[in-house]
Amino acid sequence: MLRWYDQHARTLPWRALKGQQQNPYYVLLSEVMLQQTTVATVKAYFERFVDQWPTLNAMAQASLDEILVAWQGLGYYSRARNLHKALRQLSEQQSFPQAPDDLKKLSGVGDYTANAVAAIAFNQAVVPIDGNVIRVLARVFALTQPLPMLKKTVAEKALLLADSDRPGDFAQSLMDLGSLVCRPQQPRCEICPVVSMCVGYKEGLQQTLPVKAVKLPKPTRYGIAFLNVNEHRQIWLRRRPEKGLLGGMIEVPGTEWTEVPVEPVSGGLQRGVVKHTFTHFHLRLTVYKTNEMPQETEGFWADTNALERYALPTVMKKVLSFLS
Ligand code: SF4
């Protein structure tokens, strides 16, 4: 694996060049961005972030709003909030912990990220277990258990494999092999460096592993959003609660999102329906235009020509597209 990695490692903006020291801030930032988001998307965001905040301390000193605005389009905003908290913790303690158990004390850092940072930035002999690593090792060892049980078995196998000299490169070699060779569909076994020891390949199971867990269908939730624009072309917006889905982001006010379809409302003009899918549910948001003065005090008027200043999640951008 290491021989293959030396020749085929992907060039990624957060990776140190051969012989250079890894920057732990880069590793943490990229690993948090890469949770739930593809490498292709993350590259551009990562470069913009380190341009704007070249060091851990610089990003720790930024306001949460600045970070949420820059994060727009990456989704799963709780990652940005936790990352910001973690960087502040690191900045205050003025040291970067190296062991996975210490890294896990940072906000939003779980098993995967702790192991990734420990291995890649600090050469600790651990292996981060993500979808790529699960797929590769399930195939190499022909593990036929479905998830989530499979993850535990993969973690045990991975521990036996962790390389004590170059654990960071070993972890990254698994990630790269999963992305370039042992792909989800049509693995390229003919060019794989571990084909001779791959039991899944020998048994012809490479296309069927890992065994997928049965997925339950996503429920649909419904709600109403109100576009309230005053005579100065300002719109009434509010901030979502810090905790929970899209926490701390700015939104157009509206009803709660429930599994009961919404009734038409009087006193407003229906502009359309926004469809959006979150990880755990689909959302159908009916958009109304209204001129009634907002009843709630928790909110503010925002200039409709300067909405890019606000940390608006994609679903709210869809709602605001009905402004014109
Ligand atoms: S031989 Fe095929 S299935 Fe096995 S690890 Fe390599 S690419 Fe994956």
Side-chain angles (χ1 to χ4, degrees):
M1 286 290 288
L2 289 171
R3 264 202 308 276
W4 176 84
Y5 184 73
D6 285 340
Q7 288 176 8
H8 299 281
R10 290 172 294 177
T11 306
L12 299 170
W14 48 88
R15 273 190 185 166
L17 298 173
K18 220 175 164 158
Q20 278 183 1
Q21 191 69 27
Q22 252 315 337
N23 180 337
Y25 164 57
Y26 282 16
V27 180
L28 179 63
L29 175 61
S30 63
E31 287 301 338
V32 172
M33 286 180 165
L34 284 164
Q35 295 162 11
Q36 331 266 4
T37 311
T38 62
V39 168
T41 306
V42 167
K43 274 185 188 171
Y45 277 88
F46 176 85
E47 282 174 340
R48 238 180 292 138
F49 266 64
V50 294
D51 236 23
Q52 193 167 353
W53 299 296
T55 61
L56 186 156
N57 285 330
M59 192 166 164
Q61 277 159 24
S63 73
L64 179 59
D65 271 346
E66 284 174 295
I67 289 170
L68 289 175
V69 167
W71 197 269
Q72 279 180 82
L74 270 179
Y76 302 95
Y77 291 88
S78 58
R79 291 181 298 164
R81 287 197 309 277
N82 282 328
L83 175 66
H84 187 230
K85 267 192 217 154
L87 294 178
R88 291 212 158 164
Q89 284 169 272
L90 288 168
S91 184
E92 271 163 29
Q93 68 200 42
Q94 291 188 352
S95 69
F96 215 121
Q98 304 198 357
D101 281 345
D102 295 330
L103 286 160
K104 274 194 269 181
K105 290 178 190 150
L106 297 170
S107 179
V109 174
D111 285 338
Y112 171 78
T113 311
N115 279 5
V117 174
I120 299 169
F122 300 115
N123 265 324
Q124 305 264 322
V126 287
V127 180
I129 310 293
D130 70 348
N132 274 328
V133 175
I134 290 175
R135 183 171 63 256
V136 172
L137 296 188
R139 289 172 176 174
V140 169
F141 293 104
L143 306 172
T144 53
Q145 286 167 309
L147 286 160
M149 283 283 285
L150 173 64
K151 191 171 178 186
K152 198 167 163 265
T153 315
V154 165
E156 286 162 12
K157 297 276 186 199
L159 254 190
L160 301 175
L161 294 175
D163 186 272
S164 53
D165 287 337
R166 296 171 58 191
D169 287 348
F170 180 68
Q172 292 180 102
S173 74
L174 276 175
M175 294 172 182
D176 284 14
L177 192 81
S179 159
L180 302 172
V181 178
C182 196
R183 306 176 301 193
Q185 265 89 43
Q186 295 170 343
R188 302 168 72 193
C189 305
E190 67 286 357
I191 58 156
C192 178
V194 294
V195 66
S196 63
M197 59 186 77
C198 179
V199 187
Y201 173 75
K202 258 182 223 143
E203 297 183 359
L205 295 173
Q206 67 273 27
Q207 298 275 7
T208 50
L209 295 176
V211 175
K212 306 264 177 311
V214 182
K215 268 197 184 163
L216 295 174
K218 284 183 191 185
T220 300
R221 293 188 194 164
Y222 303 85
I224 300 175
F226 295 105
L227 297 175
N228 190 338
V229 180
N230 66 17
E231 68 275 22
H232 307 296
R233 295 291 301 157
Q234 293 169 320
I235 182 167
W236 186 254
L237 298 176
R238 67 184 179 191
R239 186 183 290 277
R240 290 179 65 85
E242 282 300 323
K243 287 231 152 64
L245 185 72
L246 307 176
M249 307 276 308
I250 303 300
E251 69 172 1
V252 170
T255 62
E256 268 187 62
W257 303 342
T258 68
E259 290 187 20
V260 184
V262 294
E263 303 282 335
V265 289
S266 55
L269 178 65
Q270 187 180 328
R271 296 303 310 265
V273 177
V274 162
K275 294 181 181 175
H276 191 78
T277 296
F278 292 99
T279 325
H280 300 297
F281 64 95
H282 301 292
L283 179 66
R284 300 275 177 278
L285 213 46
T286 310
V287 182
Y288 279 86
K289 225 170 178 176
T290 169
N291 295 321
E292 282 173 23
M293 272 309 289
Q295 299 297 311
E296 49 195 21
T297 47
E298 301 270 311
F300 58 92
W301 290 109
D303 194 338
T304 52
N305 291 322
L307 291 174
E308 68 285 350
R309 279 191 217 143
Y310 300 98
L312 291 156
T314 307
V315 61
M316 287 301 146
K317 287 186 179 159
K318 290 185 189 173
V319 170
L320 289 164
S321 71
F322 286 104
L323 266 181
S324 49

